[in-house]
Amino acid sequence: MQLFHSPTSPFVRKVMVVLHETGQLPAVELLPASGHPLASQNMPTAHNPLGKVPTLLRDDGPAIYDSRVICRFLDARADGTLYPEAGIWESLTLEATADGIMDAAVLMMYEIRCRPEEMRVEDWGEAQWQKIVRALDALETHWMDHLATARLDIGQIATGCALAYLDFRLGNRDWRGDRPALAGWCAEFTQRPSMQATIPVG
């Protein structure tokens, strides 16, 4: 298999963590891909019409894309346990919440990187941050029992990658603030070998 890969993408990192956790990293060749909507020449548009990473080329079928699809495929391929039948809707909803944090944070970065300063819309960027704030509050208020369970699932992986991306790209924003439980969980989760092995650089 081949994975179109950018080390700074939180969605790629989620896939990489799953590869580590399921022992499948040796089965995948990493293909560098980087860009954004205004510079897609180095993105896998021939395999993914959306021109996004991650995109996975399989040995026995067409390319698949979107980190949620790839992660579920990899877990099934390894007969893994990241999508437990008991509590599956909670795991998937937590993953969707974390992916929403990543989406909003990436859009904030695009606003900075893709638009000239005189064309940036501050209110739009703040609206994205407010999505993140609401999601973080929900994690602190409603999801700590799920996050703190000893059984690893895709919701925990996605949340760990989302929080780490905030530190990586939006470190000037204090997301921990009044969220001590979430901050404590993140500090512990990011010590997992799979998270340490996928720390972004750049």
Side-chain angles (χ1 to χ4, degrees):
M1 296 183 293
Q2 296 175 306
L3 178 71
F4 285 97
H5 171 278
S6 172
T8 59
S9 163
F11 298 102
V12 170
R13 188 179 189 185
K14 185 171 67 156
V15 171
M16 293 298 294
V17 170
V18 169
L19 286 170
H20 279 275
E21 293 286 353
T22 59
Q24 297 181 86
L25 188 61
V28 176
E29 176 188 0
L30 302 182
L31 304 177
S34 61
H36 53 72
L38 300 182
S40 61
Q41 62 271 19
N42 294 322
M43 300 300 275
T45 52
H47 304 284
N48 177 350
L50 303 177
K52 291 183 175 183
V53 292
T55 295
L56 182 72
L57 304 184
R58 297 180 291 167
D59 300 327
D60 57 353
I64 58 175
Y65 43 87
D66 187 280
S67 65
R68 284 184 243 190
V69 177
I70 296 172
C71 288
R72 191 143 194 180
F73 167 79
L74 292 171
D75 188 67
R77 183 177 182 271
D79 293 324
T81 59
L82 298 178
Y83 297 85
E85 185 175 344
I88 184 61
W89 303 118
E90 288 76 12
S91 296
L92 294 177
T93 301
L94 182 55
E95 181 187 18
T97 302
D99 281 5
I101 291 173
M102 296 184 217
D103 277 328
V106 168
L107 288 174
M108 290 178 71
M109 293 308 301
Y110 282 167
E111 183 73 5
I112 295 169
R113 294 187 167 195
C114 298
R115 288 184 189 271
E117 187 172 357
E118 66 275 10
M119 295 180 64
R120 294 175 193 164
V121 180
E122 185 176 348
D123 288 347
W124 190 89
E126 283 303 312
Q128 300 305 317
W129 179 248
Q130 288 307 309
K131 292 180 188 178
I132 294 171
V133 166
R134 291 192 298 270
L136 293 171
D137 288 343
L139 294 175
E140 177 79 11
T141 304
H142 302 300
W143 288 99
M144 289 312 306
D145 286 347
H146 188 103
L147 287 171
T149 184
R151 183 198 67 217
L152 181 68
D153 75 354
I154 193 61
Q156 293 170 325
I157 290 173
T159 300
C161 291
L163 298 179
Y165 188 72
L166 296 182
D167 287 336
F168 177 56
R169 288 302 196 203
L170 299 170
N172 60 321
R173 305 262 188 169
D174 180 20
W175 68 260
R176 288 166 176 83
D178 297 325
R179 306 180 188 96
L182 187 60
W185 177 84
C186 180
E188 181 176 352
F189 189 82
T190 52
Q191 295 307 307
R192 292 184 72 90
S194 61
M195 291 293 289
Q196 290 293 303
T198 57
I199 294 173
V201 183

